[in-house]
Amino acid sequence: MSITATSRGTGNDTTSASSFNISVPQNLTAGTMAVLVLGFSNNSSSVTLTSVTDSLGNSWLIGTQYKRTDIGNTFGNGTNLAIAYSLQRVGALTTSDTITCNFSTAIENKAWALKEISYGHSIILSQSGSTNGVGDVDTPTITTSTV
């Protein structure tokens, strides 16, 4: 079994908004998983990533979100990390597509990294998870099996 992670681009956005678009910087391959890692901050721990969509209509799941609130000053408090992923069942993302990230409130500072996870041809992945009502997946799972 072979699993490989390939970087497909990084970026940031400092426009204050409750959503922002990512132009896919490199084509992804059909049959792979798209993984989006997001860091964001608004000096408050109350903001959450509520949904991720793409221009093709692929299903995206949001994994556990981490909120840093343990620092004694405002620098670093409210720094969040979220991971979202898609098996690209509708279609593989290309440079003509966009990924849209939606947040619970307007934030200014956002940074992202897009990864492509490829795996051997004998591996089948399925994605599932239960949501907690705000788009977070409480129990994300990726199941593998062989052909």
Side-chain angles (χ1 to χ4, degrees):
M1 173 171 56
S2 170
I3 298 177
T4 305
T6 305
S7 178
R8 293 297 180 215
T10 61
N12 60 60
D13 185 286
T14 57
T15 304
S16 181
S18 60
S19 68
F20 80 106
N21 292 325
I22 297 168
S23 297
V24 176
Q26 293 181 24
N27 292 341
L28 279 73
T29 306
T32 63
M33 181 189 309
V35 177
L36 181 64
V37 180
L38 291 162
F40 50 96
S41 176
N42 71 341
N43 291 327
S44 167
S45 62
S46 62
V47 66
T48 58
L49 176 66
T50 57
S51 66
V52 176
T53 60
D54 68 45
S55 55
L56 293 177
N58 287 305
S59 174
W60 286 80
L61 292 177
I62 299 171
T64 301
Q65 299 191 54
Y66 300 95
K67 300 172 185 167
R68 185 160 189 179
T69 59
D70 61 335
I71 299 175
N73 57 35
T74 57
F75 181 79
N77 278 348
T79 301
N80 300 273
L81 173 69
I83 299 173
Y85 59 94
S86 172
L87 294 180
Q88 303 184 94
R89 296 286 190 215
V90 173
L93 296 169
T94 67
T95 55
S96 61
D97 295 311
T98 57
I99 300 169
T100 301
C101 301
N102 299 294
F103 299 91
S104 59
T105 189
I107 56 174
E108 288 185 15
N109 302 309
K110 303 163 285 280
W112 58 269
L114 181 63
K115 301 288 185 178
E116 178 179 35
I117 308 298
S118 58
Y119 32 86
H121 296 289
S122 64
I123 299 172
I124 300 171
L125 296 178
S126 64
Q127 76 184 26
S128 62
S130 63
T131 62
N132 65 8
V134 294
D136 297 348
V137 175
D138 290 331
T139 55
T141 58
I142 299 175
T143 306
T144 63
S145 59
T146 55
V147 177

